[in-house]
Amino acid sequence: MGKIVVLPPHWVNKIAAGEVVERPASVLKELLENSLDAGARRIVVDLEEGGKKLIRVADDGGGIAGDELGLAVAAHATSKLAREEDLYGIQTLGFRGEALASIASVSQLELVSRPGEALEGARLEVQGGEQRGPMPAAAPPGTAVAVRNLFWNTPARRKFLRATNTELGHLIEAFTRVVLAYPQVHFTLAHNGRTLYELPAGQALRERIGTLFSRDLADDLLSVVREDPGLKVGGLVAPPRQARSSSQWQYVFVNGRCIRDRFIGHAVREAYRGLLEGSRQPVVFLFLQMPAELVDVNVHPAKSEVRFADANRVHSSVLAAIRDRLLSTDLTAAVGREALHSDEGAGARAVRAADGRIEEEEDRSGGGGESQDARRARVRQAMADFFKSASLSRPAGRCGREWAPAEAATAPPQPAARAREAPATGASERTGVREEEGEPGAPARRFVQLHNSYLVTETEEGVLIIDQHALHERILYEQLQAQLGEGRLASQRRLIPETVEATAKQMAAAEDAAEMLRQLGIVLERFGPRSLAIQGFPGLLEQVAAREFVSDLLDLVAGESGRASREELLHRVLDMMACKAAIKAGDPLTDGEIEALLSRRQGVERSSNCPHGRPTTIRLSLSQLDKEFKRT
Ligand code: ADP
Ligand code: MG
């Protein structure tokens, strides 16, 4: 090992750059923050080639004096901390004094600035740690920072930059995370000379969300506001029907800084508890204001996480703010009566959590929206219906093992649970399952559909209770996998392509995943800055609403982008396809469809569980039944 030496500043900056400058989007974030700290009212962003060639941010803020330009790009040089104590009450977005130094060490940087009171401006160029200037330059009041050829001198990192569209997606996401918190500032963003966003000053938050996301979402948002001592929570939250399949649509700002925080994330999910199906995630735009001393922002190099002095209080305020709003809003159309009813205890839960007892109330109800009592009642009713219909099919007065399928066939069908003979033929369009003849000579098995959700049928050994959705999902999944094994899935070209709104990040993720999606028969093409056209859609998903499917798909691929391997992602998408195409709980089925499902059940590997691992089938053996009825 060599001698220990103190690294030259230029190296130190390059090392620090590893933490601060991950990609063009991180540069944009830092530059925007600097402009806002300088009090800018108007900020113009110009990008070229996904920021790889150019990221330029020009503002009309306070500017930097010519003789301080060199300091601005020096490490640990900042105008934002005067005293050490200031670190415990940060009022600005920046404070670490390392952004410009780090950026300058891995790019070609040009800084032109003029404080309002100065007669002329000055320019400084930095390249690979070498400074040129400052020299006088004509400039309007304010500052313009141009960052060219990011990572030109660190080829290993340059290699990690992704396709232009991917980087553009990240850039727009970074832009979004800043501009949402500064409605009083005018922002524009252009890429390769084309203006993508023009956000006038004074625009209402809802308007801005409409421009950045979608009009439809913006129109649906509910405003929340709550004031507790030392903490204000405000913003817009979406009703449950706008929920997404990923949590990336949750924007949380603390004192104007967009952060990720698990306490707040938990509070948001809690607030929607019982109102969302399964893994759906709420969409929220939340703004917290609190005294700077009560939140430590110096816990993450990119300043994207914070530490609260009293996280429990933050949790309870956020939970109460959203929950109160949701409870006072008529969401009936969105979630259906059942979900609301099953969540009667939510108000009480919210209050309990508001007392600060977060852990205690974690998942006591077992996670599902339905209370145990309600669930028990529903299952009992289903069983009662089933046995009512079964007993009707027994000849009166006979109570014994002789009860046989043939006899039962004479029973009249019941409205709630019809006992049905399996028909031998008939094709099922919806289940996509070709009906197969039963084994020759085998007696037709009988079945009933209960609550349009469960199929009950008999076997030699006993009784099967089948979750129709889970079973169909498994069948489709296997079918899709088999087809994929032979090549691409068949795609149907759309004559009139539907368009889907997408965030920039989703656009980029879709572009990245384009080849994989094509393999699955899904062909998406860019259609304007914020939408994609569905050019092709899998034949197998004929019955599925393409727009809704693609919108969920985009959440999935954007959420997994960079995290899941290609293989994992492929399976997640397959999974989703099977789930969406499968018949649902609540769908009434024709006899032909039921028969088709049941006959396919035998042919499918792993038919006992759906692709998510939930059981498709519950088996009750005759001996089990005998035991339960104390016949043995
Ligand atoms: P920090 O923002 O943490 O202070 P930076 O490296 O981002 O560190 O910036 C260093 C200094 O350069 C800032 O403290 C500020 O004084 C000055 N500066 C940077 N950008 C601007 C700008 N757009 N307008 C005015 N001053 C700026
Ligand atoms: Mg800064």
Side-chain angles (χ1 to χ4, degrees), residues 30-31 34-35 37-38 59 62-64 72 77-80 94-101 143 145:
E30 295 292 341
L31 298 185
N34 280 346
S35 295
D37 280 344
D59 67 52
I64 309 169
T78 178
S79 57
K80 300 171 193 174
F95 56 89
R96 299 170 61 102
E98 58 186 4
L100 285 185
T143 305
V145 183

Side-chain angles (χ1 to χ4, degrees), residues 397-476:
R398 273 175 62 187
C399 177
R401 291 179 186 203
E402 308 85 333
W403 178 53
E407 285 172 310
T410 58
Q414 296 300 299
R418 291 175 294 149
R420 298 184 269 204
E421 261 330 303
T425 55
S428 159
E429 251 187 38
R430 196 153 32 132
T431 53
V433 179
R434 187 160 303 287
E435 292 171 26
E436 281 152 21
E437 302 278 328
E439 288 161 48
R445 291 287 175 201
R446 291 172 316 116
F447 49 74
V448 299
Q449 184 188 28
L450 296 179
H451 292 265
N452 291 335
S453 299
Y454 296 100
L455 308 176
V456 181
T457 184
E458 63 179 357
T459 62
E460 292 285 319
E461 301 82 32
V463 178
L464 298 181
I465 306 172
I466 295 165
D467 177 330
Q468 64 186 38
H469 169 73
L471 174 61
H472 194 209
E473 192 179 356
R474 168 52 84 184
I475 292 173
L476 288 176

